[in-house]
Amino acid sequence: MLIAEPSTNSGQQREKAAELMFEKYKVPALFLAKNAVLTSFASGRATSLVVDCGGGSTVVSAVHDGYVLQKSAATSPIGGEFLTDCMMKSLESKGVVIRPKYSFKKKEVSPGDYKVVDLDFPNTTDSYRLYCMRAIASDIKESVCRVPDTPFDEVAYANVPTTSYELPDGQTIEVGADRFKIPDILFNPYLSQTIPGIDGFGDSTSIRGLPRMVLDSVNRCDVDIRKELLSNILLSGGSSSILQIKERLEKEVLEESPQNARVKVLASGSSMERRFSVWIGGSILASLGSFQQMWFSKAEYEEHG
């Protein structure tokens, strides 16, 4: 059993995973690999700075010769789910009502003309309702949002052309400056404080934007490998905006880097490869002949237990 784990996992969490695998699931052998290492292997590199933009968080980790440099790991609670929350709250504050798909049906009253009829599901939980609304808000985010080329500015984007989006119940909404503001929260977390109903993140000085996380992570590493890390920044994650994030991140990290540094942000052109980079790296690692001697066997576990 090869298990991929977050770069920030503690020794205690690793021990618990081993205990579960050997004692409950009776696996004959086990190996725990860090997500960042596997992403690095998936791109054919043993050394890189991995920036993983996930649903629940963003994690930056330096990988050197196939090992995560633990002191380099930087995490932020801002991920795709938080941006979806921001989109929902912003639309709510503008009076937009997102109706879950299960709560209505469309009835054709005349050819091409539909009437929305409410359906009643009294046993539906609030959490399911919210889940369905979030799925729609997430699709709005993925469909209309764009990472701005420069930091978002309320005044500069005030008259930006709007983009329309048709909700499942047929109502069409117009999304203006939020198209650029919401993705920019990845770079400038304080922007989340300007969205009504969002609290808890942007006011905290410990929450850093993506470029700052990258630079902090690199600066925690040995000075000899910093140049190599800056020229091998790997972006992974399922977001459709990764390629836009790539351009902006490269530009901002370059501005803050030492003058002679070469900054290169890399991202696979395939969204499937980016989303499953950890799994792909794991399949590469597990198929290497030299890897077979690295398994931790049940006998070894019992010996150390």
Side-chain angles (χ1 to χ4, degrees), residues 174-196:
E174 298 291 333
V175 186
D178 280 351
R179 286 171 55 209
F180 301 97
K181 181 193 216 170
I182 286 167
D184 201 46
I185 291 169
L186 275 173
F187 291 84
N188 298 300
Y190 71 86
L191 281 172
S192 63
Q193 297 303 101
T194 64
I195 295 168

Side-chain angles (χ1 to χ4, degrees), residues 80 84 87 137-145 238-241 275:
T84 298
M87 175 60 86
S138 180
D139 189 64
I140 299 171
K141 177 193 73 179
E142 295 276 345
S143 305
V144 306
C145 286
S239 166
S240 58
S241 304
R275 181 169 290 189

Side-chain angles (χ1 to χ4, degrees), residues 11-246:
Q12 210 176 354
Q13 288 166 309
R14 294 168 74 92
E15 281 172 28
K16 186 70 187 163
E19 185 188 313
L20 267 174
M21 288 301 138
F22 286 123
E23 295 182 17
K24 183 174 181 183
Y25 296 108
K26 312 289 184 201
V27 299
L30 176 70
F31 189 82
L32 290 160
K34 304 283 189 194
N35 289 344
V37 170
L38 299 181
T39 291
S40 205
F41 285 170
S43 76
R45 287 171 173 78
T47 298
S48 67
L49 187 78
V50 178
V51 180
D52 186 3
C53 297
S57 64
T58 296
V59 183
V60 179
S61 327
V63 176
H64 187 246
D65 287 341
Y67 290 93
V68 165
L69 302 179
Q70 216 61 47
K71 62 184 177 185
S72 73
T75 61
S76 160
I78 293 177
E81 299 287 330
F82 181 66
L83 299 188
T84 298
D85 283 343
C86 291
M87 175 60 86
M88 269 188 78
K89 296 289 185 192
S90 184
L91 291 172
E92 276 174 24
S93 72
K94 293 174 174 66
V96 174
V97 177
I98 298 177
R99 296 167 74 175
K101 289 182 183 178
Y102 69 80
S103 67
F104 64 86
K105 69 173 182 180
K106 286 181 174 176
K107 212 172 184 180
E108 195 168 22
V109 278
S110 59
D113 186 19
Y114 293 89
K115 183 185 173 200
V116 175
V117 181
D118 285 331
L119 297 175
D120 186 28
F121 285 99
N123 298 325
T124 312
T125 61
D126 287 344
S127 60
Y128 180 68
R129 181 181 175 80
L130 183 64
Y131 168 79
C132 293
M133 288 163 72
R134 285 178 62 84
I136 298 166
S138 180
D139 189 64
I140 299 171
K141 177 193 73 179
E142 295 276 345
S143 305
V144 306
C145 286
R146 267 200 71 84
V147 177
D149 298 330
T150 53
F152 179 84
D153 176 79
E154 208 77 58
V155 178
Y157 282 87
N159 299 315
V160 75
T162 61
T163 294
S164 50
Y165 179 94
E166 187 179 339
L167 292 170
D169 63 358
Q171 63 168 317
T172 300
I173 58 169
E174 298 291 333
V175 186
D178 280 351
R179 286 171 55 209
F180 301 97
K181 181 193 216 170
I182 286 167
D184 201 46
I185 291 169
L186 275 173
F187 291 84
N188 298 300
Y190 71 86
L191 281 172
S192 63
Q193 297 303 101
T194 64
I195 295 168
I198 291 286
D199 46 29
F201 278 166
D203 58 347
S204 168
T205 49
S206 63
I207 308 293
R208 296 155 295 172
L210 216 41
R212 189 72 263 150
M213 286 173 72
V214 165
L215 291 160
D216 286 354
S217 185
V218 169
N219 289 334
R220 285 184 200 147
C221 297
D222 198 279
V223 72
D224 298 345
I225 64 166
R226 289 178 191 171
K227 276 189 178 176
E228 192 179 358
L229 291 173
L230 283 169
S231 60
N232 288 284
I233 300 172
L234 286 182
L235 263 184
S236 72
S239 166
S240 58
S241 304
I242 286 279
L243 299 178
Q244 296 162 29
I245 293 169
K246 169 184 178 288

Side-chain angles (χ1 to χ4, degrees), residues 257-279:
S257 297
Q259 278 189 324
N260 57 351
R262 177 177 169 267
V263 174
K264 188 78 188 147
V265 179
L266 309 141
S268 167
S270 154
S271 65
M272 281 299 180
E273 275 181 30
R274 290 195 305 268
R275 181 169 290 189
F276 300 114
S277 61
V278 171
W279 195 95

